Amino acid sequence: MSRPTLTAVFVAFLLTSSVAKPNAKDKKPKQVVPAIECDMRAGKINLPEFIVKCPAKCRETKEKVYGTGVFASISSICNAAIHNGVITNSGGKVIVMKMGGQVTYKGSFANGVRSLSLPNWRDSFSVSVGKPKKGVIYPSTLIFVPSRPTAENTVSPATEPSSTAAPPTTTHVTTPIATAPPITTSATPRVTVHEVRKAAGVHRPETGTPIRRQPHVSSASVFSRVQPQSERKQHMAQSNPTFARRDWPHPAFSRPDGSSGTRRPTDSSYSVPNTSYKWNRMSTGDPTVLDPRPDNTEYEQYGQYPPEPEDHKPLSETGHTKDCKVDIAFLMDGSWSIGKRRFKIQKDFLVDVSQVISVGVAGPMMGIIQYGDDPVTEFSLKQFSSSKDLKPAISKIVQKGGLSNVGKALSYINKNFFSDANGNRGGAPNVAVVLVDGWPTDKVEEASRLARESGINIFFVTIEGPDENEKQNVVETNFVEKAVCRTNGFFSLPITSWFALRKEVQSLVKRVCDTDHLVCSKTCLNANDIAFVIDGSSSVGTGNFRTVLQFVANVTQEFEISDTDTRVGIIQYTYEQRLEFAFGQHNNKADLLNAIKRINYWSGGTSTGAAITYAADQLFSKSKPNKRKIMIVITDGRSYDDVRAPALAVHRKGVIAYSIGIAWAAQDELEYIATDPDREHSFFVDEFDNLYKYVPKIIHNICNEFNSQPRN
């Protein structure tokens, strides 16, 4: 073959090869799988679907997972994958698909990972084995929500997002937060924090709706979260971001998840909070102060914590607690919504209080209950007898987590805490100070009522309570007014910011030590002067008179008897009157019951009107001003004198009169004697032996009347 022919053949071969190369389309492009750490949460990554590679031994990190099958976006991707059986503890590739929020996430234990339950959360994700479907290429570069408010939002600054940074299609992934123009939001009020509060019909907004608080200021882009140190890990150990209670507008930063809406920037003022005891909110305040709350959402690592206010320096002991002999139970909020940072502030506050009140057996004694889903006694009243010992004990308290079930906690202290076994001293007023972040997740009214009736003085310290827009989302409206001992402001202390809490130590201590104002120590059983006016006429007879005395003893038995509690006096009458014993003459129950047994039957006529006047002169004229005056008249027949005028006279002096008629007693006279309404204060039995049936009814009516008084 000639040289030109060989040359032509060679050229043709080269042309054929170059044309054939493009047909090698069967070769698959290589999938680059970004590696992540065990603590990476799905909510940090701003892609709808992506693939990642988890390292080995993530299970040992105990990074939190919320849900089963479908996980809340605040869950660790790798531990969720282990829990779901997608990978083992040796690590591996995982495909993550984002989805909408769920109403609830149920915890479970699987593959060595314990997932937690969580109420409604805004975003979810699922995990699957890291083998992409044919033809699907996932982004090789992960796009994160910004660790700081910036204009760029990719994890790889060297390469801009391109067709490789796309969801598993040929479409390009665009970052929702490329720039940070002001985001305008509707005036819709924040829908609420505790989605937990779902039980009360409260619903957390879905992604893209405003998140909690929108005051009068315009909300430019307002997402700012905080982190104590810039190098802090992306997770926060022992945190549960279930309930982000505070979301106030913050100056223009873009919201990391790309959705519109406002988010609380911070506790923004260290000024002294309003002391007028009204629900009064502060304005946003200094926009440079960032949110110190560390544990509430997947966005918490943004920003820096503010410096500790000078007011938070330890307080020295003062003279405010002189003669302060009270038994105090502090109910501290251990719910997840409070976060680690605020939980520590709460402990610091309690340490300060313990130092100021000078704990000791001759003065105040202090115990602490932590509540969340359920209450737990951290230590009882008798466990520590000095402020010095209390300080390290409080510092060691570990947050329990859960909801904010204040009602359940109040029931707990009423039934279990203030007992002799736990150090309740009897002579010291019982005080319960409830610290609550925002508002409770259960109802408090009934539990509070029962606690007050047991003599517990309830104080509420509400930190960052609901504003006007938020009140519609509260489980129980006006929960503070329904809970506290009195609604006059003395027992309620609203604090506008967690940073202002420790400034209120002195104010709170002054109140709990002001024993003259601890009026809930006075109950229906320990705040009375009770006068029994007993018919000793001939028609009664000796045997029946003993039955009447037994009835009097049974009623008396139900009350707390002492010179400072309920006092009892007795008058027996016929035509004449005899003072058997006066108020305060027998100052303990045993002596009083013995004195009742020793009363001798007199016998004679029946002058009930004169006996009532005698009781007013000899007993109620010497009654103490802070005592409820109660008269119980027991008769078996019609009076020889008029009862209407004497009865009206004692009614006008504030005496609550009960009448009990037996056998031949006149119904009209019983009604004249009794305080209105008659049906609650006048009773009739056909024979003496049936008197005992009315003991519980009389006690119930006395207490019901006491507890129905206005609490102001």
Side-chain angles (χ1 to χ4, degrees):
M1 184 180 293
S2 66
R3 183 178 294 276
T5 304
L6 288 171
T7 302
V9 171
F10 181 69
V11 170
F13 175 76
L14 289 176
L15 290 172
T16 303
S17 299
S18 63
V19 172
K21 266 190 176 180
N23 294 331
K25 57 187 178 182
D26 292 336
K27 184 176 180 181
K28 295 181 181 179
K30 185 173 173 133
Q31 171 71 68
V32 178
V33 181
I36 61 171
E37 297 298 325
C38 299
D39 61 359
M40 179 58 64
R41 291 179 274 184
K44 303 286 188 184
I45 299 174
N46 203 3
L47 291 170
E49 193 169 351
F50 52 91
I51 188 170
V52 291
K53 184 176 182 180
C54 291
K57 298 184 179 180
C58 282
R59 190 162 55 201
E60 283 76 3
T61 65
K62 300 188 183 300
E63 291 296 328
K64 286 186 170 53
V65 176
Y66 301 91
T68 301
V70 176
F71 303 94
S73 61
I74 49 175
S75 303
S76 158
I77 294 172
C78 297
N79 276 348
I82 295 173
H83 183 277
N84 212 38
V86 170
I87 62 172
T88 67
N89 198 36
S90 300
K93 299 175 184 177
V94 181
I95 294 174
V96 178
M97 186 189 320
K98 296 283 193 69
M99 57 183 66
Q102 306 293 305
V103 173
T104 186
Y105 299 85
K106 186 174 181 180
S108 62
F109 183 81
N111 302 314
V113 175
R114 166 70 67 183
S115 70
L116 304 175
S117 296
L118 185 68
N120 187 327
W121 191 249
R122 66 172 72 86
D123 297 307
S124 308
F125 70 96
S126 62
V127 290
S128 58
V129 178
K131 293 181 179 180
K133 295 179 181 179
K134 185 176 180 180
V136 175
I137 300 296
Y138 290 94
S140 59
T141 302
L142 299 178
I143 300 175
F144 292 109
V145 294
S147 59
R148 292 180 184 278
T150 61
E152 296 300 327
N153 195 29
T154 68
V155 75
S156 178
T159 56
E160 294 183 3
S162 63
S163 58
T164 59
T169 64
T170 56
T171 5
H172 293 279
V173 171
T174 56
T175 307
I177 317 176
T179 59
I183 298 174
T184 58
T185 60
S186 67
T188 308
R190 159 171 176 126
V191 180
T192 193
V193 287
H194 290 309
E195 174 51 28
V196 175
R197 311 179 181 218
K198 177 155 182 50
V202 180
H203 303 281
R204 181 183 284 279
E206 298 298 328
T207 304
T209 59
I211 301 224
R212 175 121 183 194
R213 190 183 295 282
Q214 295 195 325
H216 59 280
V217 296
S218 63
S219 56
S221 167
V222 288
F223 244 72
S224 173
R225 238 354 180 183
V226 291
Q227 172 81 344
Q229 300 295 335
S230 59
E231 66 273 11
R232 181 173 178 144
K233 292 184 179 180
Q234 293 165 344
H235 75 286
M236 302 251 179
Q238 297 179 345
S239 69
N240 183 323
T242 309
F243 318 117
R245 295 202 187 191
R246 290 287 147 270
D247 296 313
W248 290 333
H250 198 275
F253 295 131
S254 59
R255 177 166 169 166
D257 59 359
S259 59
S260 63
T262 59
R263 186 178 186 88
R264 169 207 197 222
T266 183
D267 305 296
S268 55
S269 170
Y270 302 138
S271 61
V272 176
N274 172 21
T275 56
S276 62
Y277 314 119
K278 298 181 185 293
W279 291 116
N280 199 355
R281 305 299 308 184
M282 295 176 0
S283 63
T284 329
D286 183 359
T288 64
V289 183
L290 296 180
D291 189 337
R293 199 177 279 214
D295 297 312
N296 292 345
T297 75
E298 61 265 38
Y299 307 115
E300 355 188 47
Q301 79 274 19
Y302 309 111
Q304 295 291 328
Y305 284 112
E308 191 80 4
E310 292 183 3
D311 295 43
H312 290 193
K313 294 178 180 178
L315 300 172
S316 59
E317 295 184 6
T318 69
H320 295 314
T321 60
K322 184 178 180 181
D323 301 324
C324 176
K325 187 175 182 179
V326 292
D327 290 341
I328 312 173
F330 281 90
L331 280 66
M332 64 185 304
D333 191 339
S335 64
W336 286 130
S337 67
I338 195 173
K340 286 195 304 180
R341 173 73 169 185
R342 285 161 177 72
F343 190 75
K344 183 179 183 304
I345 292 174
Q346 187 177 204
K347 291 198 296 183
D348 292 342
F349 171 78
L350 292 175
V351 167
D352 291 345
V353 170
S354 71
Q355 304 308 299
V356 170
I357 63 175
S358 302
V359 170
V361 291
M365 297 297 286
M366 176 175 168
I368 292 181
I369 297 94
Q370 182 182 170
Y371 68 88
D373 289 336
D374 297 293
V376 175
T377 298
E378 296 292 347
F379 45 83
S380 65
L381 292 167
K382 68 178 183 180
Q383 197 161 339
F384 298 103
S385 57
S386 72
S387 298
K388 181 180 178 182
D389 295 335
L390 269 170
K391 184 174 182 179
I394 295 171
S395 300
K396 292 176 183 177
I397 294 175
V398 177
Q399 186 177 6
K400 303 295 184 186
L403 310 184
S404 298
N405 290 334
V406 176
K408 186 179 286 188
L410 287 169
S411 295
Y412 175 83
I413 64 165
N414 188 28
K415 295 175 182 177
N416 303 299
F417 189 80
F418 289 109
S419 64
D420 294 343
N422 287 329
N424 185 44
R425 292 175 289 180
N430 293 157
V431 174
V433 179
V434 181
L435 299 164
V436 60
D437 175 40
W439 55 82
T441 56
D442 64 347
K443 293 186 177 182
V444 303
E445 183 173 17
E446 180 64 13
S448 300
R449 181 185 67 80
L450 294 173
R452 292 194 307 269
E453 289 177 6
S454 297
I456 300 173
N457 294 273
I458 301 175
F459 288 79
F460 252 69
V461 179
T462 311
I463 305 96
E464 301 176 6
D467 66 12
E468 290 302 321
N469 290 332
E470 294 169 329
K471 285 183 179 181
Q472 62 183 332
N473 302 317
V474 176
V475 172
E476 185 175 37
T477 58
N478 300 320
F479 64 91
V480 173
E481 288 80 358
K482 292 176 180 178
V484 294
C485 181
R486 290 290 184 271
T487 58
N488 55 8
F490 181 81
F491 292 88
S492 55
L493 188 60
I495 310 295
T496 51
S497 163
W498 274 95
F499 282 133
L501 176 62
R502 294 176 67 185
K503 296 181 180 181
E504 296 302 314
V505 170
Q506 303 287 357
S507 175
L508 178 64
V509 169
K510 287 180 182 178
R511 297 184 194 201
V512 299
C513 288
D514 188 353
T515 53
D516 289 339
H517 285 83
L518 298 182
V519 289
C520 278
S521 296
K522 296 302 177 185
T523 72
C524 63
L525 300 178
N526 67 11
N528 312 293
D529 277 347
I530 303 177
F532 288 93
V533 181
I534 304 173
D535 185 347
S537 62
S538 302
S539 58
V540 174
T542 303
N544 289 334
F545 188 77
R546 305 315 302 173
T547 302
V548 171
L549 292 182
Q550 184 61 57
F551 169 79
V552 171
N554 290 345
V555 172
T556 302
Q557 179 72 38
E558 299 298 319
F559 291 89
E560 298 172 24
I561 304 298
S562 78
D563 186 50
T564 57
D565 293 313
T566 291
R567 305 185 303 171
V568 174
I570 293 181
I571 289 170
Q572 184 182 177
Y573 72 94
T574 56
Y575 285 126
E576 301 177 284
Q577 306 83 35
R578 184 168 72 195
L579 179 64
E580 301 292 353
F581 51 81
F583 293 146
Q585 193 169 330
H586 301 286
N587 287 328
N588 65 71
K589 191 174 293 186
D591 287 349
L592 178 60
L593 294 176
N594 285 330
I596 293 171
K597 291 179 182 179
R598 291 194 298 267
I599 295 175
N600 294 317
Y601 174 51
W602 199 359
S603 187
T606 307
S607 295
T608 307
I612 293 172
T613 301
Y614 186 81
D617 294 341
Q618 298 297 316
L619 290 177
F620 291 119
S621 63
K622 301 175 177 63
S623 187
K624 292 185 177 180
N626 63 342
K627 300 291 186 182
R628 293 172 72 233
K629 304 176 184 67
I630 297 174
M631 178 177 69
I632 301 176
V633 177
I634 306 169
T635 181
D636 79 330
R638 180 174 289 278
S639 177
Y640 294 164
D641 61 356
D642 177 57
V643 300
R644 288 175 292 184
L648 183 60
V650 294
H651 293 167
R652 287 174 175 170
K653 293 180 180 179
V655 176
I656 301 168
Y658 289 83
S659 60
I660 302 173
I662 309 156
W664 305 105
Q667 185 64 40
D668 59 332
E669 290 185 347
L670 296 177
E671 293 177 359
Y672 287 139
I673 295 169
T675 298
D676 290 332
D678 296 336
R679 65 180 181 277
E680 300 295 333
H681 298 87
S682 180
F683 308 99
F684 181 86
V685 295
D686 54 359
E687 55 186 46
F688 286 88
D689 288 342
N690 288 329
L691 273 173
Y692 74 94
K693 296 178 180 179
Y694 285 86
V695 171
K697 179 67 174 175
I698 290 173
I699 300 300
H700 174 270
N701 287 7
I702 289 173
C703 284
N704 189 57
E705 194 164 37
F706 178 90
N707 296 324
S708 64
Q709 296 177 106
R711 293 188 300 109
N712 50 35

